[in-house]
Amino acid sequence: MSRPLSDDHRPRRTFAIISHPDAGKSTLTEALVLHAQVITEAGAVHGKAGRSGTVSDWMQMERDRGISITSAALQFEYADHVVNMVDTPGHADFSEDTYRVLSAVDSAVMLVDAAKGLEPQTLKLFRVCALRGIPVITVINKWDRPGLDPLELMDGIEKQIGLRPTPLTWPVGIAGDFRGVLDRRSGEFIRYLRTAGGSTRAPEQHLPAEQAAAEEGEAWTTAQEEHELLSADGADHDQQRFLDGATTPVLFASALLNFGVAQILERLLELAPPPHATPTEAGGVREVDEPFSAFVFKVQSGMDSAHRDRLAYARVCSGVFERGMVVKHASTGRPFATKYAQAVFGRERSSVETALPGDIIGLVNANALRVGDTIHDGPSVRFPAIPTFAPEHFMSVRAKESGRYKQFRRGIEQLDQEGVVQVLRSTVRGDQNPVLAAVGPMQFEVVAARMETEFNAPVTMDSLSYTIARRTRAEDADVLRGVRQIEVLERADGAHIVLFPDKWRAHTVARDHPDILIEELPAST
Ligand SMILES: Nc1nc2c(ncn2[C@@H]2O[C@H](COP(=O)(O)OP(=O)(O)OP(=O)(O)O)[C@@H](O)[C@H]2O)c(=O)[nH]1
Ligand SMILES: [Mg+2]
């Protein structure tokens, strides 16, 4: 079957913004979008309390608390590129969502808070990027506030992460006195100018070194000296070493004031890798120019209270996608019609006609699609499953009002599919009273809030005293069902999960039943 090829040849860049909580990811997301002139006024980012929310924090709970709970994809155009950007939640309780996103991007922008330096979640995420071979661009954010010495920050990145920092810009003025940056490639001074409330694009002036020295005095001289020191130390950008994961280019910014945002976007387009061949489950690769293929990395509902819909986010890996084409759903072998494909911008969407490798598309009401599923045209392909982590917190849940059981069941099933929590069931407990399993307790709060507001089925939860989950085989499950203090349940994907009060009990059960499989699940740490 031959299809007209897309005449859209604009290069793609697909990246995630990741970091420890509160480093400014959503604020930077908004600033990047503002810079690309997608929105004219950055939606009042007044700080955590009382802000109306950034474009990527659309969920009510995100707006109430000023934190990101779920990742948000935004597609926009800039300088003849198509940019696919995903803002991720920083909180460790939502790290599964962040990891799912990291399976779907080609590079990551890692934010570091200038005052806090490297924090535990930052280190963890750096390791995940290293494992996945995702090149990382580092942004030292909040330079408008008092913070650490820039050379010290570079030292921290090198020592604690083992990545060689290669600054592209260097701050002029200490943290808290952010005047601009020294562009280490051109040697010129880029001066940032404040605008009222940082709500519009920050104007900048480009000045030659001599003028910067005359106007900025010691702040410039210090920046100049440190820049030379970095060069003498070999800390200059090298594209191959960056792509190999040996170095990380560094930029300095204040997302809140829109300082340095232009440089981040421009250098990203220039340096971040374009989409490349995707590894397949069978151990080969799908080249970008092979027939269409994509995989689902996220499922989300409740984005639009007026329309009860469910969006599956798919990353295009190869070929040309055209809305309306009928593709194959690899896990069922069934045809899948893509009539309702959309481009996603936070909670907003527009119809998409074509998409190329690197693009993230939203498939509406694609109820058959699950996280990790492959869809494709042409030769069969399956992309590797996206792992779920070993849960460490468990609650039993039931509908507060028995009359709302239908809504309850639908809500629980939807949240399970989204991976908000894992839902475990057993015949003993019945469908009315399943067990929710989470990596972090905040996931339960999201369930409680969404069950009430979105599904109209308020729930009651009771904490269970299990702390360990392991996997067993169907044929071993019956034996384990008779064992004291433990419980065997089933996950939606058919996996048999055993819950233990603690690791000692897991150990004694394994010792008493040497023929039974008790397998660890992938750890989140
Ligand atoms: N002074 C200053 N504050 C900033 C800057 N960037 C972000 N903030 C503030 O830091 C707080 C956290 O910003 P967010 O953008 O929500 O941080 P986040 O990384 O998305 O947080 P999570 O998604 O919850 O992990 C907000 O109050 C922002 O206004 C900055 O460059 N300078
Ligand atoms: Mg955020």
Side-chain angles (χ1 to χ4, degrees):
M1 183 170 36
S2 89
R3 296 186 168 277
L5 284 180
S6 165
D7 53 8
D8 178 4
H9 298 296
R10 290 170 299 176
R12 263 59 180 175
R13 292 293 181 273
T14 306
F15 63 92
I17 304 196
I18 55 176
S19 79
H20 192 84
D22 242 20
K25 295 174 293 297
S26 301
T27 310
L28 179 66
T29 300
E30 179 112 337
L32 288 168
V33 159
L34 170 73
H35 186 78
Q37 288 182 318
V38 179
I39 45 178
T40 44
E41 283 258 307
V45 186
H46 295 307
K48 289 271 164 179
R51 71 172 183 179
S52 63
T54 53
V55 64
S56 49
D57 287 339
W58 55 267
M59 200 184 270
Q60 192 55 47
M61 201 170 151
E62 296 181 313
R63 298 194 165 195
D64 293 346
R65 302 200 185 183
I67 60 168
S68 300
I69 285 168
T70 185
S71 52
L74 298 102
Q75 189 183 64
F76 58 91
E77 296 167 16
Y78 184 71
D80 214 30
H81 282 68
V82 176
V83 179
N84 293 276
M85 169 167 75
V86 192
D87 177 24
T88 64
H91 200 290
D93 286 13
F94 307 124
S95 53
E96 267 189 320
D97 191 338
T98 301
Y99 293 149
R100 286 193 282 262
V101 170
L102 286 173
S103 71
V105 295
D106 302 314
S107 59
V109 171
M110 169 76 76
L111 255 64
V112 175
D113 184 321
K116 298 192 176 134
L118 295 172
E119 298 173 271
Q121 189 67 4
T122 322
L123 296 172
K124 219 162 103 178
L125 290 164
F126 259 118
R127 276 200 297 272
V128 176
C129 291
L131 271 172
R132 296 249 168 97
I134 300 173
V136 178
I137 293 178
T138 302
V139 171
I140 310 288
N141 189 36
K142 305 198 184 182
W143 201 257
D144 60 298
R145 287 214 310 221
L148 300 168
D149 174 71
L151 286 171
E152 240 172 75
L153 280 161
M154 296 308 103
D155 221 37
I157 295 175
E158 177 133 31
K159 293 220 172 84
Q160 296 186 52
I161 306 175
L163 268 183
R164 189 91 218 263
T166 56
L168 305 172
T169 61
W170 196 250
V172 176
I174 57 167
D177 177 29
F178 196 7
R179 304 182 193 184
V181 293
L182 187 164
D183 179 343
R184 295 193 63 222
R185 182 162 55 184
S186 68
E188 64 180 2
F189 174 44
I190 305 174
R191 176 184 280 154
Y192 300 135
L193 300 167
R194 279 179 187 254
T195 57
S199 63
T200 47
R201 229 159 110 156
E204 52 183 56
Q205 294 171 339
H206 291 236
L207 276 60
E210 308 76 57
Q211 196 181 343
E215 293 179 16
E216 301 297 335
E218 207 184 310
W220 175 262
T221 325
T222 306
Q224 183 76 42
E225 282 167 11
E226 289 175 341
H227 154 58
E228 282 161 18
L229 210 72
L230 289 166
S231 293
D233 199 30
D236 294 332
H237 175 72
D238 177 313
Q239 183 65 9
Q240 196 51 51
R241 289 183 30 88
F242 160 56
L243 295 178
D244 290 345
T247 65
T248 179
V250 181
L251 296 117
F252 288 77
S254 165
L256 189 66
L257 300 178
N258 296 309
F259 285 10
V261 172
Q263 282 72 38
I264 295 172
L265 195 50
E266 271 147 30
R267 294 322 255 318
L268 235 154
L269 298 193
E270 184 188 327
L271 307 178
H276 44 78
T278 311
T280 64
E281 197 181 50
V285 292
R286 183 85 158 191
E287 298 291 347
V288 287
D289 58 2
E290 287 187 58
F292 168 75
S293 68
F295 67 88
V296 176
F297 65 94
K298 179 181 172 69
V299 168
Q300 176 84 54
S301 76
M303 301 175 84
D304 185 347
S305 49
H307 308 96
R308 183 168 287 289
D309 65 355
R310 173 184 185 278
L311 203 66
Y313 292 77
R315 179 209 152 102
V316 180
C317 298
S318 65
V320 178
F321 171 84
E322 282 173 68
R323 188 166 67 86
M325 72 197 282
V326 177
V327 296
K328 193 161 155 189
H329 180 209
S331 60
T332 58
R334 293 215 183 97
F336 175 79
T338 61
K339 202 157 109 200
Y340 301 108
Q342 307 206 296
V344 192
F345 187 78
R347 76 194 306 188
E348 282 153 39
R349 304 164 217 168
S350 52
S351 171
V352 67
E353 292 307 322
T354 60
L356 295 186
D359 284 343
I360 290 167
I361 52 176
L363 300 164
V364 182
N365 290 336
N367 293 326
L369 297 184
R370 300 281 180 273
V371 171
D373 281 5
T374 302
I375 50 173
H376 68 86
D377 200 5
S380 288
V381 62
R382 265 174 106 135
F383 297 110
I386 301 176
T388 54
F389 294 138
E392 290 170 19
H393 302 268
F394 306 89
M395 292 263 192
S396 74
V397 64
R398 62 194 154 78
K400 224 175 228 165
E401 302 154 39
S402 55
R404 304 220 150 260
Y405 176 60
K406 227 174 75 187
Q407 289 90 330
F408 171 81
R409 216 171 65 171
R410 200 174 58 201
I412 291 293
E413 195 184 321
Q414 173 61 32
L415 298 182
D416 187 16
Q417 286 178 14
E418 288 184 26
V420 173
V421 281
Q422 292 178 33
V423 179
L424 308 176
R425 295 185 171 84
S426 70
T427 43
V428 182
R429 288 181 178 272
D431 248 6
Q432 257 117 333
N433 193 16
V435 171
L436 306 183
V439 172
M442 266 222 275
Q443 290 173 260
F444 299 128
E445 294 180 46
V446 178
V447 171
R450 290 187 61 189
M451 286 300 287
E452 179 153 359
T453 55
E454 211 175 306
F455 298 97
N456 215 352
V459 295
T460 309
M461 292 191 204
D462 295 298
S463 173
L464 301 172
S465 57
Y466 305 119
T467 63
I468 302 261
R470 299 268 156 92
R471 192 186 174 127
T472 189
R473 286 182 295 234
E475 59 267 37
D476 295 336
D478 281 337
V479 181
L480 291 172
R481 274 193 193 97
V483 178
R484 266 183 326 112
Q485 292 178 326
I486 69 170
E487 189 170 341
V488 187
L489 299 113
E490 221 175 300
R491 215 163 54 184
D493 65 356
H496 287 80
I497 305 292
V498 198
L499 305 185
F500 301 91
D502 50 47
K503 64 173 189 273
W504 296 278
R505 189 67 189 130
H507 183 75
T508 52
V509 172
R511 192 195 53 202
D512 295 347
H513 301 273
D515 300 334
I516 276 178
L517 176 86
I518 298 177
E519 186 185 38
E520 288 193 27
L521 296 160
S524 65
T525 42

